[in-house]
Amino acid sequence: MSGRIRLNWGFLFFFLPVALWLLLLIVLPHAELLRLSFTSSRPGGFTLQNYMAFFSEPIYWLTFVRTAFYSVIVTFLVMVIALPVAFYITKVARVRAGGFLMVLILVPFWVSELIRVYGWIILLRESGVINRLFTSIGLFSQPIEMLYNDVTMIMGLVYTSMLFMVVPIVGVMDALDDSLIEAAYDLGASKTAIWRTIIIPHCMPGMVSGGIIVFMLVLGSYLTPNLMGGKNSLWFTEQIYNQIILYFNWNQGAAFGFLLLLLSSLIIWIALKVTGQNLGEVVK
Amino acid sequence: MPFALSVHGLTKKFGNFTAVENISFDVEDGKFFSILGPSGCGKTTLLRMIAGFYRQDGGTILFNGEDMSSVPPNRRPVNLVFQNLALFPMMNVFENVAFGLRRRGEKGSGVARKVNDMLERVGLPDSGEKQISQLSGGQKQRIAIARCLVLDPAVLLLDEPLGALDAKLREHMKVELKTLQANVGTTFVYITHDQSEAMVMSDTVAVMNKGTFEQTGSPQELYHRPRSSFVAQFVGNNNRFLIVPSRDDGGAPAGLYAGRFSFILDDACRSLQDGIPCEMFVRPEAMVIEPGSDTPGFNRMPVQVRAVLFDGGNSRLLVIPEGTEDEIVVMLPQTGLYDHIRAGDRIMVGWDPGISLCFAGNGGKPYDER
């Protein structure tokens, strides 16, 4: 009897903070946002007008589709770059050099995202380092605006999320036995065949978990698209910000927030189905 | 007819360290060739050069008479069975065996037929759908070999594939591997540090030490006529005596052991220089316990029994020649004749001088398998 009580206390001790955290920071705000998204700023009951506005105003849903599309592209690009980087760190570089390279990837993340983005701006703006260098050596006849377009924004997003893909892939690739690669090579496989049949299938769980993290980070990022994409490259998070902060329209902002949540859940679900992974395995 | 594998003057250096030094050998088609050596002797380096994973610093490698010294591993007609087998866990058994065929661009029913034939050949039909983790150690072994043999290589290289198995299964696999090789007729090059594996399976064994081949020959040759002290110690068991050679009254070679026993030496030891210490070897199985006094020309030596090592048909006595610290191993035949011997007993052991071997120089430290 007393044993059971003690067990319950122990369980409560660890469970309570988690439960409170989930309830106060996740469930309650979302419940409130959900309620807000179905009400109007004017007095009145249940309404779908916030969701209707999303579909009737092309700028909203076009930004939404753009955001989703670019997030998928960024995730894919990060994966394509991270795979050879992780391969180099785990299989090519010597053990100590590999550790040093990991630190190199980690170091930029000691600085806040804001500072990193300003770093890019200093490099790329019209009066920036690159423009001055290229005009002084005569490569450009006049400075070129390299900021505030889609390509720069995608580059910035790839840069800021690289770490979150490299780390999980390094984790799984480290566990890949070198002799499997050698065995495939010995059995006649070309380098592309080794990547396709051995390395990528082995790294799939790490790639999918890295992909989920990067995709969610990119989809929900605000700073990088705002500062590097500017007015020409709208991101859906900016629409939410505008609704809530500029127009004080919490109801519209809440509806957009829920649409974004729905979108990320849907795309991750599709990605898991396509790659044949399940969420439980991947988050391990 | 060209040799399945010919190696000429192969050398590999890592920095200042020469792992493989000027090795040459030929392997006839369809033979089982073993490279036997202690760990660190360079045998794995040699194997990896033949497979193509290391680029040699000198020498050539020929398969069926064709120089393939600079061909990458995926285009050499040779396959390697890895020490840890390296089966692909992301594929089932069928796909593992079909892997090489698919890389060659073979498709459809031809692949299925070859794979199923091969699985049947290694005694695992109907296991194609199994995952690698569902196989036992011996089955994995067979799949790893099947995966290579299905490609019909000129030479199959095996890198101590029995190392990970338990003793009982290893004994079984030795026989199985030998039978399999005889059936498929593929040339096997097998590397191992286990002399028993090499002896049981091979047509020819090369004993390797410090990057070079000490001796190449049939297992019987290596056992009966080792050409160096290292081979004498590494192949089979041997007792080593440090002796000082001299001549007896008739001019026949003799040796003084531990300053107190004078042994008659084999006539082949005639070339030894008097007075310069050398090594003499007598195998435990050549030692006779309590030799009758009616056998003239026998070497005899009083010893004290330190321990009786009972191991069925492989039972031995650990004895110490009187007045020395050396340990000598003597085979203990299980005929019931010697059951009375206990630790601490004083007995006589003897041997026919004809079966003892001598090598000049004291060879430094004796080779220690541990």
Side-chain angles (χ1 to χ4, degrees):
Chain A
M1 185 72 190
S2 63
R4 210 158 93 202
I5 287 169
R6 210 173 316 152
L7 188 81
N8 285 346
W9 275 114
F11 176 71
L12 262 177
F13 180 79
F14 289 107
F15 180 71
L16 209 60
V18 179
L20 281 176
W21 180 64
L22 279 174
L23 189 71
L24 293 178
L25 294 172
I26 312 281
V27 178
L28 275 182
H30 275 81
E32 173 63 6
L33 282 175
L34 191 64
R35 190 188 67 79
L36 280 174
S37 75
F38 285 110
T39 49
S40 165
S41 50
R42 284 174 290 278
F46 174 85
T47 173
L48 280 173
Q49 80 173 56
N50 297 317
Y51 291 94
M52 299 296 280
F54 170 80
F55 290 105
S56 58
E57 196 68 61
I59 183 83
Y60 294 154
W61 64 261
L62 277 177
T63 314
F64 188 76
V65 170
R66 237 179 73 91
T67 307
F69 180 68
Y70 278 154
S71 297
V72 172
I73 296 233
V74 168
T75 308
F76 180 74
L77 284 177
V78 171
M79 213 176 263
V80 167
I81 300 170
L83 273 171
V85 169
F87 184 78
Y88 187 85
I89 290 176
T90 53
K91 300 294 172 201
V92 181
R94 268 171 281 179
V95 177
R96 207 182 287 172
F100 177 69
L101 290 172
M102 274 310 284
V103 171
L104 278 191
I105 290 181
L106 200 69
V107 159
F109 289 81
W110 291 354
V111 181
S112 96
E113 190 187 355
L114 190 66
I115 307 295
R116 268 179 286 141
V117 172
Y118 277 130
W120 278 114
I121 291 175
I122 289 170
L123 279 180
L124 297 175
R125 67 181 168 188
E126 238 178 315
S127 56
V129 175
I130 290 178
N131 266 315
R132 259 196 239 161
L133 185 76
F134 281 10
T135 44
S136 71
I137 62 171
L139 217 62
F140 294 171
S141 54
Q142 61 186 58
I144 295 171
E145 180 58 271
M146 284 180 278
L147 282 171
Y148 315 126
N149 60 55
D150 288 355
V151 176
T152 311
M153 182 190 69
I154 285 178
M155 187 196 67
L157 286 170
V158 166
Y159 167 76
T160 48
S161 47
M162 186 57 75
L163 177 78
F164 303 100
M165 185 69 88
V166 171
V167 169
I169 294 183
V170 162
V172 287
M173 214 181 262
D174 225 10
L176 175 63
D177 188 350
D178 292 2
S179 63
L180 291 186
I181 298 173
E182 286 183 340
Y185 197 25
D186 183 67
L187 291 167
S190 62
K191 292 206 167 69
T192 40
I194 293 173
W195 273 97
R196 192 167 49 79
T197 56
I198 308 294
I199 301 176
I200 291 182
H202 175 89
C203 293
M204 200 44 106
M207 285 161 65
V208 172
S209 75
I212 290 174
I213 299 171
V214 167
F215 177 76
M216 292 204 277
L217 277 176
V218 170
L219 196 69
S221 77
Y222 175 77
L223 213 60
T224 310
N226 195 20
L227 292 179
M228 291 180 79
K231 290 276 173 291
N232 304 323
S233 305
L234 273 180
W235 208 248
F236 197 64
T237 48
E238 291 172 60
Q239 300 284 14
I240 300 175
Y241 177 88
N242 291 346
Q243 289 301 333
I244 294 178
I245 306 296
L246 291 185
Y247 313 138
F248 297 111
N249 190 347
W250 276 79
N251 311 77
Q252 189 64 63
F256 284 178
F258 267 92
L259 286 167
L260 199 61
L261 180 68
L262 220 64
L263 176 73
S264 68
S265 309
L266 183 73
I267 292 184
I268 286 167
W269 182 78
I270 291 172
L272 285 173
K273 279 280 162 273
V274 168
T275 57
Q277 304 283 322
N278 74 62
L279 197 61
E281 285 292 310
V282 165
V283 293
K284 251 193 248 168
Chain B
M1 197 192 131
F3 291 107
L5 171 67
S6 282
V7 167
H8 297 301
L10 212 57
T11 300
K12 177 75 188 172
K13 293 189 175 84
F14 295 107
N16 289 328
F17 175 68
T18 307
V20 171
E21 195 172 3
N22 196 20
I23 282 186
S24 302
F25 64 94
D26 300 303
V27 184
E28 272 177 59
D29 196 31
K31 294 290 184 201
F32 199 122
F33 184 90
S34 287
I35 298 168
L36 172 66
S39 49
C41 73
K43 56 189 191 298
T44 300
T45 309
L46 176 61
L47 200 73
R48 291 179 68 87
M49 277 194 284
I50 298 171
F53 291 120
Y54 286 154
R55 190 66 187 273
Q56 65 276 15
D57 293 317
T60 52
I61 301 163
L62 288 84
F63 296 104
N64 292 328
E66 211 180 320
D67 189 350
M68 297 250 174
S69 307
S70 53
V71 174
N74 56 351
R75 289 207 288 276
R76 287 193 191 199
V78 57
N79 292 111
L80 173 59
V81 177
F82 286 74
Q83 193 160 13
N84 63 358
L85 306 180
L87 294 170
F88 304 131
M90 57 288 271
M91 305 171 199
N92 63 17
V93 168
F94 183 93
E95 284 304 319
N96 262 278
V97 178
F99 186 87
L101 295 173
R102 293 204 199 283
R103 300 288 84 74
R104 282 181 184 173
E106 293 186 31
K107 284 190 181 70
S109 58
V111 173
R113 204 190 62 242
K114 283 186 186 173
V115 171
N116 289 328
D117 273 1
M118 191 42 76
L119 287 176
E120 205 153 316
R121 225 163 177 172
V122 295
L124 291 170
D126 312 319
S127 63
E129 293 306 312
K130 281 189 184 166
Q131 292 301 312
I132 296 304
S133 53
Q134 288 173 283
L135 301 177
S136 70
Q139 290 172 330
K140 282 183 187 164
Q141 193 86 52
R142 286 187 251 173
I143 296 302
I145 292 167
R147 185 173 72 170
C148 295
L149 286 181
V150 77
L151 298 173
D152 197 21
V155 177
L156 181 69
L157 305 173
L158 300 102
D159 183 4
E160 306 203 31
L162 304 188
L165 303 180
D166 60 75
K168 199 94 184 171
L169 189 55
R170 193 154 59 219
E171 287 304 316
H172 176 73
M173 285 306 292
K174 272 185 214 171
V175 181
E176 201 174 291
L177 214 54
K178 177 72 191 162
T179 323
L180 182 71
Q181 192 268 339
N183 284 340
V184 296
T186 306
T187 312
F188 276 34
V189 173
Y190 187 97
I191 76 162
T192 180
H193 64 272
D194 184 319
Q195 48 107 4
S196 146
E197 281 176 22
M199 304 272 264
V200 170
M201 294 189 283
S202 317
D203 297 308
T204 310
V205 180
V207 181
M208 191 169 177
N209 186 30
K210 292 179 183 157
T212 56
F213 281 179
E214 294 250 346
Q215 188 176 353
T216 307
S218 68
Q220 290 84 349
E221 262 176 71
L222 294 175
Y223 180 82
H224 292 299
R225 290 185 296 280
R227 281 207 301 264
S228 72
S229 155
F230 178 81
V231 176
Q233 292 177 77
F234 201 77
V235 176
N237 297 313
N238 235 330
N239 291 309
R240 175 175 175 268
F241 300 88
L242 281 178
I243 59 164
V244 180
S246 59
R247 309 278 148 178
D248 68 5
D249 307 332
L256 187 67
Y257 167 58
R260 51 192 294 168
F261 302 112
S262 184
F263 296 145
I264 307 164
L265 299 184
D266 183 42
D267 229 33
C269 303
R270 191 174 282 281
S271 59
L272 294 172
Q273 271 194 304
D274 290 359
I276 297 180
C278 68
E279 292 170 293
M280 181 184 75
F281 292 98
V282 182
R283 294 202 181 272
E285 47 272 40
M287 293 251 187
V288 182
I289 300 168
E290 301 290 1
S293 51
D294 53 334
T295 42
F298 239 58
N299 284 317
R300 288 186 180 73
M301 180 171 65
V303 296
Q304 184 170 27
V305 178
R306 172 163 284 186
V308 180
L309 309 170
F310 180 78
D311 183 15
N314 191 27
S315 299
R316 288 150 300 156
L317 287 179
L318 195 61
V319 302
I320 298 172
E322 272 180 19
T324 71
E325 298 287 313
D326 298 352
E327 279 184 351
I328 302 294
V329 179
V330 178
M331 209 64 189
L332 184 63
Q334 290 303 299
T335 53
L337 259 173
Y338 307 111
D339 285 356
H340 62 276
I341 296 176
R342 296 278 174 273
D345 287 0
R346 280 164 201 283
I347 56 169
M348 284 294 266
V349 296
W351 65 91
D352 177 356
I355 48 89
S356 65
L357 287 160
C358 296
F359 297 101
N362 65 12
K365 280 196 337 194
Y367 173 72
D368 186 353
E369 218 166 314
R370 289 155 295 276

